[in-house]
Amino acid sequence: MNVEEQIKKYINSQPEPKRSEMQELHQRTLNVLPGCKLWFLDGKDSENKTVSNPNIGYGFYTIKYADGKTREFYQIGLSANKTGISVYILGIKDKKYLAQTYGKKLGKASVSGYCIKFKTLKDINIDVLEAAIRYGLSTS
């Protein structure tokens, strides 16, 4: 199964209304990043143990570790969780920037250094979320 098929299967496995909202976010992210590299992480480690929620990834980002090693990863991530949806924006150096710049404008969302969590799309301003994603892309 290729990445696009894995993503479609993952989104379709979600209950409504999360399924429709994930599909909308997926499409909006593709519109922001046309032709980007797509990723799908099933949340399992090398021993097939679940270590995280599955993630859809968009774009390309090189993570640089303190020991000098690097790792290729996605730049924007999308994941369903028990209480809603998480959007990850990697590569922003200032860990307070997302919360300070977009937090209040987003609506009912929890914003950390690189993650925006919300229960449902109707709780947030999706245009502000898209602006945060665009900002994240400009920082790499």
Side-chain angles (χ1 to χ4, degrees):
M1 193 175 342
N2 68 29
V3 174
E4 286 92 351
E5 290 168 338
Q6 290 176 304
I7 291 169
K8 187 174 183 177
K9 183 178 177 183
Y10 172 59
I11 291 172
N12 288 336
S13 74
Q14 301 303 314
E16 285 296 352
K18 198 179 289 187
R19 179 184 315 144
S20 297
E21 294 184 354
M22 292 278 294
Q23 185 59 49
E24 181 176 346
L25 287 169
H26 177 62
Q27 196 54 55
R28 278 182 170 256
T29 306
L30 290 174
N31 290 343
V32 171
L33 284 158
C36 69
K37 178 175 180 169
L38 287 175
W39 304 66
F40 183 75
L41 284 73
D42 64 6
K44 297 185 188 295
D45 67 8
S46 60
E47 296 171 12
N48 209 31
K49 290 182 185 172
T50 300
V51 294
S52 72
N53 290 323
N55 282 267
I56 301 169
Y58 308 86
F60 184 82
Y61 170 67
T62 302
I63 297 173
K64 295 176 181 129
Y65 294 102
D67 65 3
K69 292 181 181 175
T70 61
R71 176 180 163 200
E72 295 177 354
F73 208 61
Y74 57 75
Q75 191 167 15
I76 306 298
L78 176 62
S79 180
N81 58 55
K82 288 181 182 175
T83 59
I85 298 171
S86 298
V87 175
Y88 306 96
I89 304 172
L90 304 180
I92 297 174
K93 301 220 185 317
D94 181 350
K95 298 301 174 203
K96 296 179 183 175
Y97 185 85
L98 276 182
Q100 290 174 343
T101 306
Y102 301 103
K104 289 181 181 161
K105 297 179 210 169
L106 266 167
K108 288 185 191 174
S110 164
V111 185
S112 71
Y114 64 91
C115 181
I116 299 170
K117 288 185 202 175
F118 48 92
K119 188 171 185 173
T120 176
L121 283 180
K122 67 182 179 213
D123 289 345
I124 65 162
N125 182 328
I126 192 141
D127 293 329
V128 173
L129 177 63
E130 196 172 298
I133 291 170
R134 287 182 193 282
Y135 172 77
L137 296 172
S138 73
T139 63
S140 61

